[in-house]
Amino acid sequence: MPELTASMQWVNVLSTRPSLEAAVTEVVEAAQAQLRAAPDLGLVFISAAFASEYSRLIPLLQAQLSIPALIGCGGGGVIGMNLQHHPEEVEGQPALSLCLACLPGVQIKTFHLQEGDLPDLDSPPGKWVDLIGVEPEQNPQFILLVDPMSGRINDCLQGLDYAYPGSPKVGGLASSGTLGTPTTVFCDTRSRPESIVGVALSGNIVIDTIVAQGCRPIGQLYRVIQGERNIILKVEPEPPQSGEVTSPLEALQNMVQDLSEEDRLLAQNALFIGVVRDEFKRELGQGDFLIRNLVGVDPRVGAIAWGSGTTGTAITVSPAGCPHLWGRSGDVAGAVFDSQC
């Protein structure tokens, strides 16, 4: 490996300015002031309080920041380092978090995928390699951000696992914090709603995945017995009980009635669906569920839309305060970055 003249550096800045223009200026100036070299990669997270201005974010960043690779998403909650260099979490209020990285010796490849772009699961791994544009021999490590309205999230992860076995894959689902507020993801020069965006990092970098549980299960465990794609139409308690098939919305309403006052307040703005990871495990608790967004309801038929889509899946409901991460290296979440030198 050739000797590197610079070291890896990551910086992050959080702004809570109510004006998007002012927030962009604040995070860009503060982040660049900390960098020792020009950034190679950016990760941006914007509060859903700015949802009506999502389309303006990338042009505002481009006017002040030259960066070759950028991905990001919207979220009901945003975390970052404030101007006092302390970590801060902001929920339901304007916030913008920008992470910039100098990555000498690292090959960076961004990509965005729509549902129709994905090969079927019977396709050879080469189809996925062609789609991503990175050879498995480069040992890429992935960061993925997903709009939950994109669909086929699990298919994408299975396909990447097939094409790039052993490569860590970490990331998160965009969220809005409230039903009816749009979600989106960003890649390089524009917003990419209903898409999966990502970056493949190869070369002088290692991603170690870590556990970051942020949800806990509540109420009854249910099994999805009828659904279409990511729409849940009917559920039944698990284990099954005679005559207990119901709509998911009715099951959810009954569940919320039995919650404590604190959990009911959380459920109003931050409700997620947990998918059982190991259905053969007898005792289930925190850490046994993969978290998926609850993205909408249809009160006419009692249906619920969620960020997955498999009939026969066992699910529960989880209240939480902010977007949550998932990973594909032992089904854990979060990431630690380091160089190989």
Side-chain angles (χ1 to χ4, degrees), residues 17 25 27-28 31 45-46 49 59 80 83 102 117 146-147 149 179 188 229 235 238 259 261 270 289 294-295 325 339:
R17 294 287 188 94
T25 297
V27 297
V28 170
F45 303 94
I46 184 171
L83 296 182
C102 298
D117 299 330
V146 182
D147 186 333
M149 300 304 294
L179 295 176
D188 291 334
R229 299 179 65 185
V235 297
E238 180 68 25
L259 297 180
E261 182 64 25
F289 300 88
L294 194 161
V295 297
L325 299 175
S339 64

Side-chain angles (χ1 to χ4, degrees), residues 188-254:
D188 291 334
T189 61
R190 55 171 290 190
S191 171
R192 302 280 184 180
E194 300 186 14
S195 297
I196 299 169
V197 302
V199 59
L201 305 173
S202 308
N204 185 47
I205 190 169
V206 174
I207 295 180
D208 289 327
T209 54
I210 59 175
V211 175
Q213 278 291 333
C215 288
R216 56 182 169 81
I218 58 173
Q220 170 74 50
L221 188 69
Y222 287 89
R223 183 173 297 277
V224 179
I225 62 171
Q226 183 181 353
E228 296 179 8
R229 299 179 65 185
N230 70 323
I231 308 297
I232 303 175
L233 299 173
K234 294 293 181 182
V235 297
E236 67 176 357
E238 180 68 25
Q241 302 170 19
S242 177
E244 289 296 325
V245 174
T246 185
S247 73
L249 182 57
E250 182 180 357
L252 179 60
Q253 290 169 335
N254 293 335

Side-chain angles (χ1 to χ4, degrees), residues 282-340:
R282 298 177 63 87
E283 299 293 332
L284 298 172
Q286 188 170 353
D288 293 322
F289 300 88
L290 296 177
I291 303 304
R292 294 292 182 261
N293 289 47
L294 194 161
V295 297
V297 299
D298 184 346
R300 298 171 301 171
V301 297
I304 286 178
W306 62 318
S308 192
T310 304
T311 303
T313 300
I315 62 172
T316 188
V317 177
S318 301
C322 63
H324 296 278
L325 299 175
W326 41 256
R328 292 291 289 180
S329 180
D331 284 324
V332 295
V336 174
F337 302 87
D338 198 2
S339 64
Q340 293 179 333

Side-chain angles (χ1 to χ4, degrees), residues 6-317:
S7 60
M8 178 181 293
Q9 184 184 14
W10 294 80
V11 300
N12 175 267
V13 178
L14 173 74
S15 174
T16 56
R17 294 287 188 94
S19 160
L20 184 57
E21 289 90 341
V24 168
T25 297
E26 187 167 77
V27 297
V28 170
E29 291 182 351
Q32 288 187 315
Q34 300 177 52
L35 289 176
R36 297 185 295 267
D40 301 300
L41 172 66
L43 305 173
V44 64
F45 303 94
I46 184 171
S47 164
F50 286 125
S52 63
E53 300 185 82
Y54 280 162
S55 62
R56 301 178 60 228
L57 175 62
I58 299 301
L60 287 171
L61 281 171
Q62 288 179 317
Q64 301 185 48
L65 178 66
S66 177
I67 190 164
L70 176 73
I71 63 170
C73 70
V78 174
I79 298 173
M81 301 295 289
N82 61 30
L83 296 182
Q84 289 72 47
H85 303 289
H86 296 142
E88 182 178 349
E89 178 180 347
V90 181
E91 297 180 29
Q93 301 295 327
L96 182 70
S97 179
L98 177 65
C99 183
L100 297 180
C102 298
L103 303 174
V106 178
Q107 293 77 54
I108 301 169
K109 175 69 167 63
T110 58
F111 54 89
H112 69 275
L113 312 172
Q114 294 185 310
E115 184 175 351
D117 299 330
L118 301 183
D120 61 62
L121 294 181
D122 293 325
S123 298
K127 289 283 188 180
W128 292 91
V129 172
D130 292 341
L131 185 66
I132 302 301
V134 178
E135 293 297 323
E137 292 75 19
Q138 295 179 252
N139 296 316
Q141 299 166 77
F142 294 93
I143 303 173
L144 304 169
L145 298 173
V146 182
D147 186 333
M149 300 304 294
S150 64
R152 295 192 66 190
I153 299 170
N154 289 338
D155 288 355
C156 180
L157 291 173
Q158 290 178 35
L160 292 178
D161 282 345
Y162 184 38
Y164 303 95
S167 290
K169 304 160 188 78
V170 299
L173 294 171
S175 71
S176 63
T178 56
L179 295 176
T181 302
T183 56
T184 197
V185 291
F186 306 93
C187 185
D188 291 334
T189 61
R190 55 171 290 190
S191 171
R192 302 280 184 180
E194 300 186 14
S195 297
I196 299 169
V197 302
V199 59
L201 305 173
S202 308
N204 185 47
I205 190 169
V206 174
I207 295 180
D208 289 327
T209 54
I210 59 175
V211 175
Q213 278 291 333
C215 288
R216 56 182 169 81
I218 58 173
Q220 170 74 50
L221 188 69
Y222 287 89
R223 183 173 297 277
V224 179
I225 62 171
Q226 183 181 353
E228 296 179 8
R229 299 179 65 185
N230 70 323
I231 308 297
I232 303 175
L233 299 173
K234 294 293 181 182
V235 297
E236 67 176 357
E238 180 68 25
Q241 302 170 19
S242 177
E244 289 296 325
V245 174
T246 185
S247 73
L249 182 57
E250 182 180 357
L252 179 60
Q253 290 169 335
N254 293 335
M255 188 183 301
V256 170
Q257 291 177 1
D258 297 329
L259 297 180
S260 67
E261 182 64 25
E262 179 182 4
D263 281 345
R264 278 200 294 270
L265 290 174
L266 281 175
Q268 290 177 11
N269 295 308
L271 206 57
F272 296 80
I273 292 177
V275 184
V276 174
R277 292 169 52 189
D278 182 359
E279 297 194 28
F280 295 101
K281 188 173 181 179
R282 298 177 63 87
E283 299 293 332
L284 298 172
Q286 188 170 353
D288 293 322
F289 300 88
L290 296 177
I291 303 304
R292 294 292 182 261
N293 289 47
L294 194 161
V295 297
V297 299
D298 184 346
R300 298 171 301 171
V301 297
I304 286 178
W306 62 318
S308 192
T310 304
T311 303
T313 300
I315 62 172
T316 188
V317 177

